[in-house]
Amino acid sequence: MFVWITNCLAALAVSAVLIVILKRVSPAFSLVDYPDRRKRHDGVVPLCGGIAIFATFTMVMFLRNGASTLPLNFWAGLLITLLVGVVDDRNELSAIKRLVAQLVAAFILVNPLAGSTIVTGVALPPTLLTISFPLLTLVAILFVVGLINSWNMIDGVDGLAGGSAAAALFWLSVVASVKGVSELVLPTIVLLAAVCGFLAFNMRSPWVARAKIFLGDAGSTALGAAIAYFVIMLSIRANIAFSVLLWIVIVPVVDTLSLIVRRLHAGRSPLAADRCHLHHLLLDRSISPAATTIIIVGVSALCGGIGCLGIATGASNYLMTLALLIPFAAHSAFVFLSSESGVNRIQRPRSVAVSQLTSMPPMAARADLNMNHVSAPQPAKTRPGILSDAV
């Protein structure tokens, strides 16, 4: 316990110090975010939060005993994800390039060569038993890629992505402790402490009027990758049904799947940007940015607590899996009510006259999994608190 406390305090302090330092040098490396038509924040904000978090995490994990409890494939996959995010923050990579890099990172993180994969917790049909390993490995890889992008997409309000990550990491550390998976307890709480150091500068509070630093694509995608890895490893090491562990990350997962379905139904690309995320729906109902973050992080923590309670009490895997329909139904009902009231309706694409196109101001745009950064700032009246419109 003493080792956990000292390592967490070290991570918290180092994270805060690195943020102060990197905040000053970020402009020199073009790691800054400009406000524009979608990203309604005040002024130029450094994008080095993710770098500070994972530099802290790496230092604490390796310096504690001269070695890390995590395997090489974890560090390799995480490094690829982080570096691709940094390049994307500076130069805006195409969706294809980022997706390919994420698939490579996910393959390395899942490490099918180890001969183990996620646990279903239910009996598979006989026809699937012979292909269960490659099938479940594919599910694990897609889960990593999906969570990378889900965490990137929720990074749209001060403190939201970091707060949701903190809630997930807390419950993952509790589950690892309850199940005796000691090699995952320290990494999850150290990363949690590093995230908390970042949140001191990113989450609104009586001392912080608005975010002074952003995660950037590097931070949000690397958090998604790390959390996905911990979920998969807990499923394998503690023999926990993967579907039950989904409770810990169900909020960003539901929000992402809902958006993809709604965009496809509207005849739009699932990669197109809009303002129909859960946090946008709340903001457009005149809920403040700080309250929006508290609501979504609170719901995430509640869902994670339900999953942890189910695991600790040995609840039926079938029951816990079936109960996942509740957050899906609740999210769908909220989206439906918002649509009925005319808020954030996803519309089908309309044709635009040539004369209209020529009159439009030039702007940089891209259709991809995360529309976080547009290179050309546009002066306009802004609503403080909303960060980049993540798809």
Side-chain angles (χ1 to χ4, degrees):
M1 179 65 72
F2 178 75
V3 174
W4 293 357
I5 294 173
T6 55
N7 279 273
C8 286
L9 290 176
L12 188 67
V14 173
S15 176
V17 171
L18 280 180
I19 286 173
V20 172
I21 296 172
L22 292 174
K23 186 170 177 282
R24 294 179 177 273
V25 302
S26 288
F29 294 94
S30 299
L31 287 173
V32 292
D33 199 23
Y34 295 97
D36 60 27
R37 186 164 57 91
R38 290 182 299 102
K39 298 177 287 183
R40 303 172 183 177
H41 56 78
D42 292 340
V44 179
V45 182
L47 291 169
C48 55
I51 298 174
I53 289 172
F54 286 97
T56 299
F57 178 62
T58 303
M59 283 191 288
V60 173
M61 290 304 299
F62 277 94
L63 294 178
R64 50 182 296 271
N65 288 320
S68 168
T69 58
L70 296 167
L72 180 61
N73 67 294
F74 168 79
W75 296 108
L78 189 65
L79 180 62
I80 292 173
T81 306
L82 190 69
L83 290 178
V84 171
V86 170
V87 174
D88 191 40
D89 283 332
R90 294 186 78 254
N91 302 320
E92 296 188 5
L93 295 174
S94 68
I96 296 299
K97 290 180 180 178
R98 288 183 298 111
L99 183 59
V100 169
Q102 289 168 4
L103 285 168
V104 171
F107 184 85
I108 294 172
L109 284 167
V110 171
N111 190 20
L113 298 178
S116 56
T117 188
I118 57 175
V119 175
T120 61
V122 296
L124 293 174
T127 54
L128 295 180
L129 288 177
T130 56
I131 60 169
S132 61
F133 179 76
L135 180 63
L136 293 176
T137 299
L138 178 61
V139 171
I141 291 173
L142 293 178
F143 170 68
V144 173
V145 174
L147 209 62
I148 286 173
N149 288 286
S150 292
W151 236 273
N152 200 6
M153 289 179 177
I154 66 170
D155 188 16
V157 183
D158 294 349
L160 180 55
S164 299
L169 288 166
F170 172 79
W171 288 119
L172 286 170
S173 66
V174 172
V175 173
S177 179
V178 169
K179 288 296 184 177
V181 188
S182 56
E183 65 268 30
L184 292 181
V185 176
L186 185 62
T188 50
I189 61 174
V190 167
L191 185 54
L192 169 60
V195 170
C196 288
F198 160 77
L199 286 174
F201 298 86
N202 179 255
M203 181 172 275
R204 293 190 172 202
S205 69
W207 305 275
V208 180
R210 55 183 53 84
K212 297 180 179 180
I213 189 171
F214 293 167
L215 273 173
D217 283 354
S220 58
T221 55
L223 277 175
I227 292 170
Y229 174 84
F230 292 141
V231 169
I232 291 170
M233 285 301 103
L234 267 179
S235 177
I236 296 171
R237 302 286 173 82
N239 196 34
I240 303 173
F242 174 72
S243 56
V244 176
L245 286 169
L246 284 180
W247 274 98
I248 295 175
V249 295
I250 194 62
V251 172
V253 168
V254 167
D255 193 37
T256 301
L257 291 177
S258 171
L259 267 176
I260 291 173
V261 170
R262 282 180 282 148
R263 287 170 182 167
L264 291 174
H265 182 263
R268 298 185 59 201
S269 167
L271 311 180
D274 55 41
R275 287 182 48 79
C276 297
H277 287 278
L278 179 59
H279 54 268
H280 291 139
L281 299 179
L282 290 170
L283 289 166
D284 288 344
R285 287 179 172 270
S286 299
I287 298 176
S288 71
T292 295
T293 296
I294 291 172
I295 291 171
I296 298 178
V297 172
V299 172
S300 297
L302 175 62
C303 290
I306 292 172
C308 183
L309 181 63
I311 293 168
T313 58
S316 165
N317 291 329
Y318 291 98
L319 177 63
M320 293 295 294
T321 302
L322 188 62
L324 286 172
L325 293 174
I326 296 174
F328 274 96
H331 186 280
S332 299
F334 181 72
V335 169
F336 176 77
L337 292 174
S338 297
S339 299
E340 285 294 298
S341 62
V343 177
N344 275 296
R345 208 184 298 268
I346 296 182
Q347 298 179 345
R348 296 181 180 275
R350 296 177 296 177
S351 59
V352 182
V354 175
S355 59
Q356 289 177 286
L357 286 173
T358 56
S359 64
M360 291 181 181
M363 62 176 291
R366 62 176 185 169
D368 56 21
L369 292 173
N370 179 9
M371 296 290 292
N372 258 351
H373 307 294
V374 176
S375 57
Q378 297 180 1
K381 287 187 177 181
T382 61
R383 174 169 49 187
I386 305 175
L387 309 187
S388 49
D389 177 8
V391 190

